[in-house]
Amino acid sequence: MKIIQSLASQIEIGDITLSSFANVIDLYSKANIIIIVDENTHDYCLEFLMTNFSALANAEIILLPEGEENKVMEVCFQVWETFTEFNFSRKDLIINLGGGIVTDMGGFIASIFKRGMNFIHIPTSLLGMVDASIGGKNGVDLAGFKNQLGVFNNPSHIFIDVSFLHTLPEREFYNGYAEMLKHGLIADAKLWKDLIVVKSDVELMDEKLIYRTIKVKLDIVKADPKEQNVRMKLNFGHTIGHALESHFLSSTPIAHGHAVALGICAEAYLSLKKKKITQEEYKEIEAVIVRNFPMIQLTDEEIKDVLEIMKNDKKNNGSAINFVLLDKIGEAVININLKQKEIGEALFHLNVLGSALN
Ligand SMILES: NC(=O)c1ccc[n+]([C@@H]2O[C@H](COP(=O)([O-])OP(=O)(O)OC[C@H]3O[C@@H](n4cnc5c(N)ncnc54)[C@H](O)[C@@H]3O)[C@@H](O)[C@H]2O)c1
């Protein structure tokens, strides 16, 4: 069992039945315990928890509808109304059992109700384990824009048990893989090298790789918990990635990790165009993304829409669109303002890569 104390959270990586989870829930024997799940974690992960921890026998189960289109306030309102009906209080405990959507929303629901309930995360997707559950960002989307409403607030505990990943669909591993690659690219060239030789989802279940990826995020977030400066590095791939994810949300949604992978490729291309990374570095990044993620084709109209969405990005400074670029593999640089024309070229480059494959 690896135990890390960071950012007001105790993070335990290893078999949850050997972790302090049982002791933590014992502290709530006189309170209500609420487990938030989505449809899949209800079916695939809940039983394991209930069978192994008898103290959860009377827990209330809150089922969230699955999918990014449901990461919205309307769903939170329904949950808060249920909490009010059940008369839940700040002394109760919320356990968020699920991927990044459950931990983002469950953390938000817990943080707002009666000015803040106790909560813990048990991430069940790879993306949740290496990224979404770590760092204290909780929130929901608004009017098609990602994570527009939210709070910084850390759970008291995060339990990361890779055995939950046995039921995760293969494509979901690649969504987590995208964020792992990003962590290597922005801060740890050795991690990047070790990640790009991974050949299967089974290899991604490696606790050591997961730990090294989490460590990158924790080190950055510890230095800048509220994203005033260096934490922005974690947004590499996300300016374009989030805009693509928002663009497709109302028609044919693409997964967060897939959007981030495309964003990584486009923003690495911009890093090359700005003469920050070498041609060889860019080609290596491009090859990894093209090998592992489906490419897309955007019409001129769609490119315009994606650019429009980017103007509303939280990370912008006034009217300029603000980017994180790579200085080299393993090092990122923040606050690079780019012109729409340059960004449009990077999006067009994604099209070129897509058509080269057909
Ligand atoms: N807070 C942060 O710092 C942060 C960082 C990165 C991403 N995010 C957010 O995370 C979200 C994406 O997270 P995600 O990719 O985990 O999405 P997700 O929560 O939708 O999970 C992906 C899919 O896998 C299913 N699933 C999860 N665990 C499973 C398991 N063990 N077995 C079977 N199915 C399982 C889910 O039901 C869902 O269908 C996005 O909304 C993104 O904005 C937040």
Side-chain angles (χ1 to χ4, degrees), residues 201-218:
D201 48 355
V202 179
E203 287 180 43
L204 286 171
M205 285 175 60
D206 180 62
E207 259 180 28
K208 281 203 191 92
L209 268 186
I210 290 175
Y211 167 72
R212 287 170 63 197
T213 315
I214 290 174
K215 189 78 177 45
V216 167
K217 181 156 185 184
L218 282 177

Side-chain angles (χ1 to χ4, degrees), residues 45-175:
C45 308
L46 187 59
E47 191 184 332
F48 172 81
L49 213 59
M50 302 297 274
T51 319
N52 281 285
F53 300 96
S54 54
L56 296 176
N58 296 322
E60 298 293 343
I61 311 300
I62 298 283
L63 181 64
L64 301 182
E66 184 268 347
E68 187 73 34
E69 64 279 20
N70 293 309
K71 192 178 145 183
V72 290
M73 279 302 268
E74 288 76 2
V75 174
C76 298
F77 283 129
Q78 287 172 19
V79 177
W80 286 320
E81 277 166 25
T82 307
F83 282 14
T84 306
E85 268 168 44
F86 281 88
N87 207 14
F88 292 149
S89 83
R90 271 198 286 198
K91 296 201 174 106
D92 296 330
L93 173 72
I94 294 187
I95 299 173
N96 297 310
L97 177 69
I101 294 185
V102 168
T103 53
D104 271 19
M105 276 183 92
F108 182 64
I109 288 168
S111 302
I112 300 296
F113 191 73
K114 297 194 175 168
R115 298 203 179 86
M117 298 172 73
N118 306 301
F119 69 105
I120 66 182
H121 287 334
I122 307 180
T124 60
S125 68
L126 182 62
L127 190 145
M129 292 181 188
V130 298
D131 198 355
S133 69
I134 310 286
K137 277 190 183 178
N138 313 282
V140 293
D141 306 337
L142 180 73
F145 293 103
K146 291 274 303 169
N147 305 325
Q148 288 284 97
L149 305 171
V151 292
F152 287 103
N153 191 16
N154 285 286
S156 63
H157 294 78
I158 305 168
F159 295 98
I160 295 175
D161 181 341
V162 295
S163 70
F164 283 114
L165 297 177
H166 287 297
T167 56
L168 191 71
E170 192 186 356
R171 68 176 186 284
E172 295 298 343
F173 276 91
Y174 286 89
N175 293 326

Side-chain angles (χ1 to χ4, degrees), residues 314-327:
K314 293 188 291 303
K315 302 176 284 295
N316 290 344
N317 197 352
S319 60
I321 299 181
N322 200 348
F323 276 83
V324 180
L325 295 183
L326 294 178
D327 238 355

